[in-house]
Amino acid sequence: MDRRPAAIYDAENRWGRDDDFFLAAVDETPAARVLDLGCGTGRLTLALAAAGHTVTGVDPHRAALDAARAKPGADRVTWIEGTAEVLPEAAYDVAVLTSHVAQEIRAEDGWRRTLADLRRALVPGGRLVFDSRDPAARRWERWTPHDSRRRVALPDGTAVEAWTELTEVRDGLVSFVHHYLLPDGDELRSPGTLRFRTEAELRADLATAHFTVERIHGGWGREPVGASDDGELVVIARAAD
C-alpha cells in the first residue's frame, strides 16, 4: 500500500453505517480501553479515540499504519505493527475487528489462535465485536465488473474507475481482484481472498476460545440474521470469566 492505494482506500471506504454500529457498541462501555485489531488506515480507530476511549490500533501493514499516523488526532492512539500475537494480557475492555478483517484470517488454525489471543488480551467479561459476511447471502455473486463498477472521487479532485472481478469460490474461500483505473491510464490491481464462515461455525469457534455469544445481528440496523440485505453476521461476544 503506497500513497496512491492508501488514498484510494480511504476515498472508497468512507464513514458508513457499520462505523456507526461499532462506535455505538463501544460507547456502551464508557471510557473503555479499546483494541482495534486490523485497524488499517484508522478511520474508526481515530473516531473511537475522539469519543474519549483509550485506543490501541494494531495492523500488520506498515504502510496502512503510516497513513493512519499522518491523520489529525493520531497522537491520541497507540499504534502497533503486528498481529494478535503481540497483544498484552488482560489489557482491554473491548476489542473490535471491523471491515471484515475476521475474514482476512483465512486459515482455520490462524483464526483459532487469533480468538485465543483476543480472549487473553481482554479482561474477564470484556466484549469482542466483529463483522463477517453471511455466506448464506452469497454476496460474492455481485462481485462482477458489471455489477460492481463504481467511480471513486479522490481528495485532489481526480476520479478513479473501479470494479471487482470474482476469480474463484471454493471450500469456503472466495477470491477476487479489485481493479482501479487511474486518470493517467495506469491500472492498479488488488487481489484478495476471504474466508466465509457460517453462523454455526463462528459460534463453535468462539465457544472453543471461551467466549459467550450475546447476540449475532444480520445487519447494521440490528436485524435478525437473514432479515437484512446487508448480508452480515455482526457478532457481539463476551470473554468468559
Side-chain angles (χ1 to χ4, degrees):
M1 181 183 287
D2 60 24
R3 290 184 178 181
R4 292 189 304 178
I8 293 170
Y9 178 86
D10 281 346
E12 186 169 30
N13 295 277
R14 299 183 185 277
W15 190 271
R17 294 171 60 230
D18 53 336
D19 299 294
D20 288 332
F21 178 94
F22 282 109
L23 181 57
V26 174
D27 280 346
E28 292 174 12
T29 304
R33 295 169 298 169
V34 183
L35 165 68
D36 186 355
L37 182 62
C39 63
T41 60
R43 182 184 67 244
L44 179 65
T45 326
L46 295 167
L48 291 168
H53 302 289
T54 301
V55 185
T56 299
V58 177
D59 199 281
H61 300 107
R62 180 174 298 180
L65 290 178
D66 287 345
R69 289 186 178 108
K71 294 179 178 179
D75 57 338
R76 301 176 181 174
V77 176
T78 299
W79 305 100
I80 299 176
E81 181 180 347
T83 65
E85 294 178 353
V86 306
L87 300 176
E89 185 173 350
Y92 306 105
D93 305 302
V94 185
V96 298
L97 290 77
T98 71
S99 300
H100 308 108
V101 164
Q103 292 182 262
E104 299 278 0
I105 308 170
R106 296 181 288 274
E108 290 308 313
D109 57 344
W111 172 238
R112 288 190 288 269
R113 285 197 304 270
T114 297
L115 289 176
D117 287 334
L118 286 165
R119 172 61 192 86
R120 173 179 53 79
L122 284 165
V123 298
R127 289 183 298 136
L128 171 63
V129 188
F130 68 92
D131 55 358
S132 186
R133 293 183 181 91
D134 186 353
R138 303 180 66 84
R139 293 297 294 269
W140 61 80
E141 294 179 349
R142 308 181 191 181
W143 299 352
T144 67
H146 178 268
D147 292 339
S148 68
R149 192 166 294 271
R150 54 206 184 269
R151 189 175 178 87
V152 182
L154 301 183
D156 63 3
T158 61
V160 174
E161 297 293 331
W163 65 95
T164 300
E165 174 190 4
L166 182 68
T167 56
E168 186 177 38
V169 180
R170 185 176 63 180
D171 299 330
L173 294 171
V174 177
S175 298
F176 54 90
V177 179
H178 294 312
H179 297 259
Y180 300 98
L181 184 61
L182 305 180
D184 60 8
D186 285 348
E187 182 181 329
L188 301 179
R189 298 186 179 191
S190 177
T193 299
L194 299 176
R195 169 73 67 180
F196 279 72
R197 299 178 176 90
T198 65
E199 179 182 357
E201 289 171 331
L202 291 174
R203 287 182 179 275
D205 291 342
L206 287 161
T208 299
H210 304 290
F211 282 97
T212 300
V213 174
E214 292 194 338
R215 295 181 298 280
I216 298 183
H217 302 293
W220 304 117
R222 300 178 182 264
E223 301 91 341
V225 173
S228 169
D229 189 54
D230 293 334
E232 297 285 348
L233 296 171
V234 187
V235 179
I236 302 175
R238 195 172 292 274
D241 293 339

